[in-house]
Amino acid sequence: MRIEHPQLLIDQIRYGVPSPYLPPAAYSLVEQVGSKGVFSFCMCPGGIIAPAATEDGELVVNGWSPSRRNNPYANSGIVVTVEEKDMLPFRKEEALMGLAFQQAVERKAFDAGGGRFVAPAQRMADFVARRPSADLPSCSYLPGIHSVPLQEVLPGFIYEDLRRAFEAFGKKMKGYLTNEAIVVATESRTSSPVRIPRDAVTLRHPQIGNLFPCGEGAGYAGGIVSAAMDGEKVADKVAEM
Ligand SMILES: Cc1cc2nc3c(=O)[nH]c(=O)nc-3n(C[C@H](O)[C@H](O)[C@H](O)COP(=O)(O)OP(=O)(O)OC[C@H]3O[C@@H](n4cnc5c(N)ncnc54)[C@H](O)[C@@H]3O)c2cc1C
């Protein structure tokens, strides 16, 4: 999920008082819920929630901050770990079952939003209380948001783990758990759900000699720096050919 608060509220929580001399505040949160980690990811102070789908009929959001970090919103991905056992309903897809699971979540979010990449969303305290939101606050996501009870959209275990984590986050950062914040579905591309095999030394695919799986989509990176480093490693191996 992406969660978005007013930036002034996050400044207030982090700094105690709003200050014109301090940069828009960031935060980092993590909670163990049973066997699962739930954590903030790619927190964007003064940022924007952006559409990031790659297919029509699927809804994916992401976040970014302009260099001035001067938007009135603070957004962050909030991630629930997904394990292989969670994807077993899709096991007939074999190696691609993670992809099928991801696609099912994204399609459901697209349909729940009503189309045109409008995102289903719910106020945060309502989300925790399993209460539909009568209205929604303003949000930086340009295609728009639509009030939907997100327990009807998300896989049950993700919804429950998020609820428990939000309660814990509210205790760690007083004021964080609030109906001024909005939960937007769905941030489902934090890491690749499939990994293309490659030899640990040559970095080549074990069956296709001159194929070098590389970067995030192949399952060897997550984020700009790790993707760049993996690219460098693979480029060195290609140069040795
Ligand atoms: C809105 C947004 C914000 C982000 N913010 C951050 C951040 O703050 N920090 C961070 O670390 N990460 C961030 N990321 C993630 C980061 O962008 C990725 O982790 C990183 O770009 C992965 O690099 P990559 O080289 O593996 O893949 P990509 O950058 O996706 O590169 C893959 C390339 O392959 C091309 N391609 C695809 N198919 C074909 C084809 N058939 N033929 C030829 N070319 C093809 C694509 O056009 C693309 O140029 C963000 C992502 C998004 C969408």
Side-chain angles (χ1 to χ4, degrees), residues 42 50 52 62-64 214-217 222-225 227:
C42 177
N62 207 307
W64 63 283
C214 174
E216 187 162 307
I224 294 166
V225 174

Side-chain angles (χ1 to χ4, degrees), residues 92-185:
K92 73 172 182 358
E93 303 296 333
E94 300 179 358
L96 299 183
M97 74 177 171
L99 212 57
F101 172 78
Q102 186 186 55
Q103 209 164 40
V105 171
E106 292 170 4
R107 286 186 178 155
K108 206 158 176 193
F110 183 91
D111 292 343
R116 302 174 73 89
F117 298 100
V118 172
Q122 191 172 11
R123 288 180 185 264
M124 184 185 193
D126 291 342
F127 180 99
V128 171
R130 298 191 176 85
R131 198 170 48 211
S133 296
D135 57 11
L136 295 174
S138 66
C139 175
S140 65
Y141 179 72
L142 281 178
I145 49 176
H146 175 53
S147 174
V148 174
L150 291 175
Q151 66 267 37
E152 293 171 11
V153 178
L154 296 172
F157 76 93
I158 292 184
Y159 176 75
E160 282 307 323
D161 289 355
L162 281 171
R163 277 190 64 246
R164 288 172 60 192
F166 285 160
E167 283 175 335
F169 292 166
K171 290 180 186 138
K172 289 177 181 176
M173 263 177 79
K174 294 265 178 298
Y176 185 84
L177 173 49
T178 167
N179 254 351
E180 284 186 68
I182 186 163
V183 185
V184 180

Side-chain angles (χ1 to χ4, degrees), residues 2 41-44 48-52 60-65 187 189-190 214-228 230-231:
R2 266 281 144 181
F41 171 86
C42 177
M43 193 272 145
C44 304
I48 291 167
I49 301 181
V60 184
V61 296
N62 207 307
W64 63 283
S65 296
E187 173 122 1
R189 305 272 178 107
T190 52
C214 174
E216 187 162 307
Y220 292 94
I224 294 166
V225 174
S226 61
D230 196 55

